[in-house]
PDB file of all heavy atoms in Angstrom:
ATOM      1  N   LEU F 206     -47.045 -11.613  15.973  1.00  0.00           N
ATOM      2  CA  LEU F 206     -45.768 -10.945  16.185  1.00  0.00           C
ATOM      3  C   LEU F 206     -44.685 -11.454  15.241  1.00  0.00           C
ATOM      4  O   LEU F 206     -43.810 -10.717  14.828  1.00  0.00           O
ATOM      5  CB  LEU F 206     -45.317 -11.128  17.636  1.00  0.00           C
ATOM      6  CG  LEU F 206     -46.095 -10.323  18.666  1.00  0.00           C
ATOM      7  CD1 LEU F 206     -45.704 -10.750  20.074  1.00  0.00           C
ATOM      8  CD2 LEU F 206     -45.861  -8.842  18.484  1.00  0.00           C
ATOM      9  N   SER F 207     -44.753 -12.733  14.899  1.00  0.00           N
ATOM     10  CA  SER F 207     -43.725 -13.300  14.030  1.00  0.00           C
ATOM     11  C   SER F 207     -44.035 -13.079  12.550  1.00  0.00           C
ATOM     12  O   SER F 207     -43.312 -13.557  11.697  1.00  0.00           O
ATOM     13  CB  SER F 207     -43.574 -14.800  14.307  1.00  0.00           C
ATOM     14  OG  SER F 207     -44.730 -15.483  13.867  1.00  0.00           O
ATOM     15  N   THR F 212     -52.539 -10.350   8.810  1.00  0.00           N
ATOM     16  CA  THR F 212     -53.405  -9.505   9.639  1.00  0.00           C
ATOM     17  C   THR F 212     -54.177 -10.402  10.586  1.00  0.00           C
ATOM     18  O   THR F 212     -54.515 -11.529  10.239  1.00  0.00           O
ATOM     19  CB  THR F 212     -54.406  -8.729   8.764  1.00  0.00           C
ATOM     20  OG1 THR F 212     -53.674  -7.972   7.801  1.00  0.00           O
ATOM     21  CG2 THR F 212     -55.268  -7.802   9.585  1.00  0.00           C
ATOM     22  N   THR F 215     -59.981  -9.439  15.816  1.00  0.00           N
ATOM     23  CA  THR F 215     -60.892 -10.168  16.685  1.00  0.00           C
ATOM     24  C   THR F 215     -61.821  -9.195  17.391  1.00  0.00           C
ATOM     25  O   THR F 215     -61.522  -8.007  17.509  1.00  0.00           O
ATOM     26  CB  THR F 215     -60.133 -11.030  17.715  1.00  0.00           C
ATOM     27  OG1 THR F 215     -61.059 -11.860  18.407  1.00  0.00           O
ATOM     28  CG2 THR F 215     -59.390 -10.176  18.726  1.00  0.00           C
ATOM     29  N   ALA F 219     -59.910 -13.726  25.397  1.00  0.00           N
ATOM     30  CA  ALA F 219     -60.048 -14.694  26.492  1.00  0.00           C
ATOM     31  C   ALA F 219     -60.329 -13.965  27.797  1.00  0.00           C
ATOM     32  O   ALA F 219     -61.122 -14.411  28.622  1.00  0.00           O
ATOM     33  CB  ALA F 219     -58.790 -15.543  26.613  1.00  0.00           C
ATOM     34  N   THR F 220     -59.688 -12.830  27.983  1.00  0.00           N
ATOM     35  CA  THR F 220     -59.908 -11.968  29.151  1.00  0.00           C
ATOM     36  C   THR F 220     -60.345 -10.614  28.620  1.00  0.00           C
ATOM     37  O   THR F 220     -59.665 -10.032  27.783  1.00  0.00           O
ATOM     38  CB  THR F 220     -58.605 -11.794  29.962  1.00  0.00           C
ATOM     39  OG1 THR F 220     -58.144 -13.077  30.353  1.00  0.00           O
ATOM     40  CG2 THR F 220     -58.830 -10.922  31.174  1.00  0.00           C
ATOM     41  N   PRO F 223     -58.733  -6.901  27.359  1.00  0.00           N
ATOM     42  CA  PRO F 223     -57.409  -7.514  27.355  1.00  0.00           C
ATOM     43  C   PRO F 223     -56.462  -6.734  28.262  1.00  0.00           C
ATOM     44  O   PRO F 223     -56.625  -5.523  28.435  1.00  0.00           O
ATOM     45  CB  PRO F 223     -56.963  -7.429  25.893  1.00  0.00           C
ATOM     46  CG  PRO F 223     -57.767  -6.334  25.310  1.00  0.00           C
ATOM     47  CD  PRO F 223     -59.058  -6.303  26.072  1.00  0.00           C
ATOM     48  N   ARG F 225     -53.456  -4.548  29.557  1.00  0.00           N
ATOM     49  CA  ARG F 225     -52.740  -3.458  28.870  1.00  0.00           C
ATOM     50  C   ARG F 225     -51.397  -3.905  28.318  1.00  0.00           C
ATOM     51  O   ARG F 225     -50.898  -3.335  27.357  1.00  0.00           O
ATOM     52  CB  ARG F 225     -52.540  -2.276  29.814  1.00  0.00           C
ATOM     53  CG  ARG F 225     -53.814  -1.550  30.132  1.00  0.00           C
ATOM     54  CD  ARG F 225     -53.499  -0.338  31.017  1.00  0.00           C
ATOM     55  NE  ARG F 225     -54.706   0.350  31.396  1.00  0.00           N
ATOM     56  CZ  ARG F 225     -55.228   1.372  30.713  1.00  0.00           C
ATOM     57  NH1 ARG F 225     -54.627   1.810  29.647  1.00  0.00           N
ATOM     58  NH2 ARG F 225     -56.331   1.948  31.129  1.00  0.00           N
ATOM     59  N   ASP F 226     -50.792  -4.923  28.923  1.00  0.00           N
ATOM     60  CA  ASP F 226     -49.489  -5.389  28.457  1.00  0.00           C
ATOM     61  C   ASP F 226     -49.595  -6.533  27.448  1.00  0.00           C
ATOM     62  O   ASP F 226     -48.601  -7.182  27.125  1.00  0.00           O
ATOM     63  CB  ASP F 226     -48.606  -5.792  29.627  1.00  0.00           C
ATOM     64  CG  ASP F 226     -49.190  -6.958  30.423  1.00  0.00           C
ATOM     65  OD1 ASP F 226     -50.376  -7.296  30.238  1.00  0.00           O
ATOM     66  OD2 ASP F 226     -48.445  -7.534  31.247  1.00  0.00           O
ATOM     67  N   ARG F 231     -49.639  -4.377  20.799  1.00  0.00           N
ATOM     68  CA  ARG F 231     -48.465  -3.715  20.224  1.00  0.00           C
ATOM     69  C   ARG F 231     -48.202  -4.127  18.781  1.00  0.00           C
ATOM     70  O   ARG F 231     -47.268  -3.648  18.153  1.00  0.00           O
ATOM     71  CB  ARG F 231     -47.233  -4.026  21.076  1.00  0.00           C
ATOM     72  CG  ARG F 231     -47.293  -3.405  22.463  1.00  0.00           C
ATOM     73  CD  ARG F 231     -45.980  -3.533  23.209  1.00  0.00           C
ATOM     74  NE  ARG F 231     -45.500  -4.900  23.327  1.00  0.00           N
ATOM     75  CZ  ARG F 231     -45.888  -5.775  24.264  1.00  0.00           C
ATOM     76  NH1 ARG F 231     -46.763  -5.410  25.165  1.00  0.00           N
ATOM     77  NH2 ARG F 231     -45.384  -6.989  24.302  1.00  0.00           N
ATOM     78  N   PHE F 235     -52.553  -6.013  13.944  1.00  0.00           N
ATOM     79  CA  PHE F 235     -53.637  -6.507  14.796  1.00  0.00           C
ATOM     80  C   PHE F 235     -54.733  -5.446  14.894  1.00  0.00           C
ATOM     81  O   PHE F 235     -54.454  -4.261  15.058  1.00  0.00           O
ATOM     82  CB  PHE F 235     -53.130  -6.824  16.203  1.00  0.00           C
ATOM     83  CG  PHE F 235     -54.244  -7.090  17.175  1.00  0.00           C
ATOM     84  CD1 PHE F 235     -54.996  -8.243  17.085  1.00  0.00           C
ATOM     85  CD2 PHE F 235     -54.553  -6.173  18.155  1.00  0.00           C
ATOM     86  CE1 PHE F 235     -56.043  -8.484  17.960  1.00  0.00           C
ATOM     87  CE2 PHE F 235     -55.591  -6.405  19.041  1.00  0.00           C
ATOM     88  CZ  PHE F 235     -56.338  -7.566  18.940  1.00  0.00           C
ATOM     89  N   GLY F 242     -71.983  -8.238  17.485  1.00  0.00           N
ATOM     90  CA  GLY F 242     -72.742  -9.271  16.794  1.00  0.00           C
ATOM     91  C   GLY F 242     -74.218  -9.272  17.151  1.00  0.00           C
ATOM     92  O   GLY F 242     -75.060  -9.659  16.350  1.00  0.00           O
ATOM     93  N   ALA F 243     -74.533  -8.836  18.351  1.00  0.00           N
ATOM     94  CA  ALA F 243     -75.936  -8.832  18.788  1.00  0.00           C
ATOM     95  C   ALA F 243     -76.652  -7.545  18.396  1.00  0.00           C
ATOM     96  O   ALA F 243     -77.808  -7.358  18.737  1.00  0.00           O
ATOM     97  CB  ALA F 243     -76.012  -9.026  20.296  1.00  0.00           C
ATOM     98  N   ALA F 254     -88.016 -12.002  21.021  1.00  0.00           N
ATOM     99  CA  ALA F 254     -88.903 -13.162  20.903  1.00  0.00           C
ATOM    100  C   ALA F 254     -88.650 -14.129  22.058  1.00  0.00           C
ATOM    101  O   ALA F 254     -89.586 -14.649  22.674  1.00  0.00           O
ATOM    102  CB  ALA F 254     -88.689 -13.859  19.566  1.00  0.00           C
ATOM    103  N   SER F 255     -87.391 -14.354  22.373  1.00  0.00           N
ATOM    104  CA  SER F 255     -87.034 -15.250  23.472  1.00  0.00           C
ATOM    105  C   SER F 255     -87.519 -14.691  24.813  1.00  0.00           C
ATOM    106  O   SER F 255     -88.068 -15.415  25.646  1.00  0.00           O
ATOM    107  CB  SER F 255     -85.518 -15.453  23.505  1.00  0.00           C
ATOM    108  OG  SER F 255     -85.151 -16.227  24.609  1.00  0.00           O
ATOM    109  N   THR F 257     -89.991 -12.649  25.295  1.00  0.00           N
ATOM    110  CA  THR F 257     -91.457 -12.716  25.311  1.00  0.00           C
ATOM    111  C   THR F 257     -91.932 -14.104  25.727  1.00  0.00           C
ATOM    112  O   THR F 257     -92.789 -14.253  26.594  1.00  0.00           O
ATOM    113  CB  THR F 257     -92.023 -12.342  23.931  1.00  0.00           C
ATOM    114  OG1 THR F 257     -91.575 -11.026  23.603  1.00  0.00           O
ATOM    115  CG2 THR F 257     -93.527 -12.379  23.929  1.00  0.00           C
ATOM    116  N   VAL F 258     -91.365 -15.120  25.111  1.00  0.00           N
ATOM    117  CA  VAL F 258     -91.753 -16.494  25.420  1.00  0.00           C
ATOM    118  C   VAL F 258     -91.426 -16.841  26.875  1.00  0.00           C
ATOM    119  O   VAL F 258     -92.166 -17.558  27.534  1.00  0.00           O
ATOM    120  CB  VAL F 258     -91.043 -17.478  24.459  1.00  0.00           C
ATOM    121  CG1 VAL F 258     -91.199 -18.920  24.900  1.00  0.00           C
ATOM    122  CG2 VAL F 258     -91.572 -17.291  23.049  1.00  0.00           C
ATOM    123  N   LEU F 260     -90.918 -14.512  29.506  1.00  0.00           N
ATOM    124  CA  LEU F 260     -91.522 -13.632  30.509  1.00  0.00           C
ATOM    125  C   LEU F 260     -93.048 -13.677  30.589  1.00  0.00           C
ATOM    126  O   LEU F 260     -93.602 -13.565  31.669  1.00  0.00           O
ATOM    127  CB  LEU F 260     -91.064 -12.191  30.270  1.00  0.00           C
ATOM    128  CG  LEU F 260     -89.618 -11.896  30.575  1.00  0.00           C
ATOM    129  CD1 LEU F 260     -89.288 -10.454  30.234  1.00  0.00           C
ATOM    130  CD2 LEU F 260     -89.300 -12.178  32.043  1.00  0.00           C
ATOM    131  N   PRO F 262     -95.312 -16.047  30.457  1.00  0.00           N
ATOM    132  CA  PRO F 262     -95.880 -16.992  31.413  1.00  0.00           C
ATOM    133  C   PRO F 262     -95.651 -16.602  32.883  1.00  0.00           C
ATOM    134  O   PRO F 262     -96.488 -16.871  33.736  1.00  0.00           O
ATOM    135  CB  PRO F 262     -95.170 -18.309  31.096  1.00  0.00           C
ATOM    136  CG  PRO F 262     -94.722 -18.157  29.684  1.00  0.00           C
ATOM    137  CD  PRO F 262     -94.422 -16.696  29.525  1.00  0.00           C
ATOM    138  N   THR F 263     -94.573 -15.926  33.168  1.00  0.00           N
ATOM    139  CA  THR F 263     -94.291 -15.545  34.557  1.00  0.00           C
ATOM    140  C   THR F 263     -95.114 -14.322  34.983  1.00  0.00           C
ATOM    141  O   THR F 263     -95.308 -14.093  36.170  1.00  0.00           O
ATOM    142  CB  THR F 263     -92.796 -15.242  34.786  1.00  0.00           C
ATOM    143  OG1 THR F 263     -92.421 -14.119  34.007  1.00  0.00           O
ATOM    144  CG2 THR F 263     -91.940 -16.447  34.428  1.00  0.00           C
TER     145      THR F 263
END
Side-chain angles (χ1 to χ4, degrees):
L206 287 171
S207 69
T212 304
T215 188
T220 302
R225 290 183 183 268
D226 62 347
R231 293 189 304 277
F235 169 71
S255 176
T257 302
V258 169
L260 290 177
T263 64

